[in-house]
């Protein structure tokens, strides 16, 4: 596998996508998501609610709230943004051209996976750029801490999006999931993943909600604010009154949590390479073999159907006599009973009528 070819394929596909008007729409959607994650102080629509409280809009709180919102919505919606990369190559004729080159199937699949991930990561970059602007716009804290602001995006948002990028490519290589059925299936799968990823025992640490929530509760307890363990809400919800505030300096991820983040990327690479087992990479030879096999099966089914409709013709238990013997027997039948006996006893080469065979 050539690293240069892999990077060139991923970058070329990414550049082709960012030139489309739809990509600008996705970036605007990311900006709108960042605005929702940091609502005004008097707003009753919030993204992050900790028992009726929210953190002061510092870099740590703004970065964490925006990163969790991005992980929550881009994991599901990002799939529909990046899918159809392989199908587009097939429709535009790029796929058959790549099949004629020495590019190997694993390189092609990894290139498409990296391209999907770059598109989703670019949306995360827009979120990360918009977050400090929202912090300054809300005016509760003007001290911008780059580490506290960007760390949540690196450990909370990007790892789940790697799985989304791999799943989008995997679905394109399965004929049943390539159609609208795949959209419905992914919606159900992503909803289950979102619910499981927010639990205390989420696999691989989930979205990091437990780590952030535990750190917030500790900070609130130090400030004399009592919050029960279940009073934590992530998602766009409406509250009865504006949230009160507390000060939070962010959380420090431990080694186990960072190890789970790395396993997200390892799992995403495994999912991206799984279609190597069946993906034909637009190879005409594989398509011809598949079409020939399918045609043979269809022709066999048609023959069985035709044979089933024809009436069965059974031969008599004894084979019919030859044409010569039939004529001889007919002559013997006309010549009378005594002649029949002589015909029956005559050699095979004798005339019909009982005479002796000719001799030269």
């Amino acid at each position: 596998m050539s690293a240069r070819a892999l990077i060139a394929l991923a970058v070329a596909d990414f550049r082709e996508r960012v030139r489309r008007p739809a990509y600008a729409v996705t970036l605007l959607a990311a900006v709108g998501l960042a605005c929702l994650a940091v609502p005004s102080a008097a707003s009753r629509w919030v993204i992050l609610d900790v028992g009726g409280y929210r953190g002061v809009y510092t870099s740590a709180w703004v970065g964490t709230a925006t990163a969790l919102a991005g992980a929550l919505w881009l994991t599901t919606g990002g799939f529909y943004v990046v899918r159809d990369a392989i199908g587009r190559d097939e429709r535009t004729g790029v796929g058959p051209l790549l099949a004629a080159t020495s590019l190997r199937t694993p390189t092609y699949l990894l290139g498409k996976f990296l391209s999907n991930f770059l598109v989703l990561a670019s949306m995360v970059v827009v979120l990360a750029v918009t977050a400090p602007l929202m912090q300054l716009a809300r005016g509760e804290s003007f001290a911008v801490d780059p580490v506290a602001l960007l760390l949540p995006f690196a450990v909370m948002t990007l790892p789940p999006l790697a799985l989304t990028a791999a799943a989008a490519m995997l679905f394109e290589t399965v004929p049943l999931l390539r159609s609208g059925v795949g959209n419905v299936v992914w919606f159900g799968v992503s909803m289950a993943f979102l619910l499981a990823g927010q639990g205390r025992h989420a696999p691989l640490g989930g979205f990091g909600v437990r780590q952030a929530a535990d750190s917030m509760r500790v900070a609130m307890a130090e400030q004399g604010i009592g919050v029960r363990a279940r009073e934590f809400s992530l998602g766009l919800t409406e509250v009865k009154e504006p949230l009160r505030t507390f000060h939070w300096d962010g959380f420090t991820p431990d080694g186990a949590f960072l190890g789970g983040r790395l396993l997200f990327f390892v799992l995403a690479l495994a999912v991206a390479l799984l279609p190597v087992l069946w993906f034909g990479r637009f190879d005409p030879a594989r398509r011809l073999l598949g079409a020939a096999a399918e045609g043979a099966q269809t022709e066999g089914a048609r023959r069985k159907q035709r044979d089933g409709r024809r009436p069965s013709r059974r031969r008599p238990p004894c084979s019919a006599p030859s044409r010569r013997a039939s004529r001889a027997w007919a002559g013997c039948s006309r010549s009378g009973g005594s002649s029949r006996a002589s015909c029956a006893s005559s050699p095979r080469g004798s005339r019909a009528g009982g005479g002796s065979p000719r001799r030269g």
Side-chain angles (χ1 to χ4, degrees), residues 342-354:
S342 62
C343 288
S345 61
S346 63
R348 186 174 182 181
S350 62
R351 290 184 179 182

Side-chain angles (χ1 to χ4, degrees), residues 39-78:
S40 63
S43 176
R44 294 188 178 182
W45 289 94
V46 297
I47 294 290
L48 197 55
D49 179 8
V50 188
Y53 287 82
R54 66 167 177 85
V56 177
Y57 287 149
T58 61
S59 295
W61 179 269
V62 171
T64 301
T66 309
L68 286 176
L72 191 67
W73 280 312
L74 293 182
T75 298
T76 300

Side-chain angles (χ1 to χ4, degrees), residues 83 87 90 171-183 279:
R83 73 169 309 181
E90 186 174 7
F171 275 44
E172 284 197 79
T173 61
V174 180
L176 180 62
L177 300 179
R178 190 184 308 168
S179 60
V181 177
N183 295 335
F279 182 58

Side-chain angles (χ1 to χ4, degrees), residues 193 195-208 210-211 261:
F193 179 65
L195 293 176
Q198 299 182 45
R200 296 188 62 84
H201 303 287
L204 303 181
F207 294 104
R210 181 180 64 83
Q211 289 75 11
R261 304 295 93 183

Side-chain angles (χ1 to χ4, degrees), residues 125-146:
V125 170
V126 173
L127 288 174
V129 172
T130 310
L133 300 179
M134 294 303 301
Q135 175 188 346
L136 298 176
R138 296 310 179 200
E140 295 184 1
S141 175
F142 295 98
V144 177
D145 186 350

Side-chain angles (χ1 to χ4, degrees), residues 239-315:
V239 294
K240 295 181 179 179
E241 57 183 12
L243 300 179
R244 292 165 289 181
T245 61
F246 69 98
H247 187 78
W248 183 62
D249 294 326
F251 77 103
T252 302
D254 55 11
F257 180 71
L258 294 178
R261 304 295 93 183
L262 293 178
L263 288 179
F264 262 104
F265 289 99
V266 174
L267 182 60
L269 288 175
V271 173
L273 289 175
L274 184 62
V276 171
L277 301 176
W278 64 80
F279 182 58
R281 196 174 60 87
F282 317 105
D283 190 355
R286 293 191 182 185
R287 290 187 176 185
L288 290 176
L289 289 176
E294 185 178 355
Q297 293 177 357
T298 305
E299 183 63 25
R302 290 178 179 175
R303 287 182 179 179
K304 289 182 180 180
Q305 188 176 7
R306 289 197 299 266
D307 294 342
R309 293 178 179 176
R310 292 177 180 176
S312 60
R313 298 178 180 178
R314 297 183 178 180
R315 289 188 173 186

Side-chain angles (χ1 to χ4, degrees), residues 67-107:
L68 286 176
L72 191 67
W73 280 312
L74 293 182
T75 298
T76 300
F79 174 88
Y80 305 103
V81 174
V82 299
R83 73 169 309 181
D84 198 37
I86 297 178
R88 185 176 61 256
D89 283 352
E90 186 174 7
R91 291 191 302 269
T92 58
V94 175
L97 291 178
L98 293 175
T101 65
S102 59
L103 184 68
R104 303 184 63 182
T105 300
T107 306

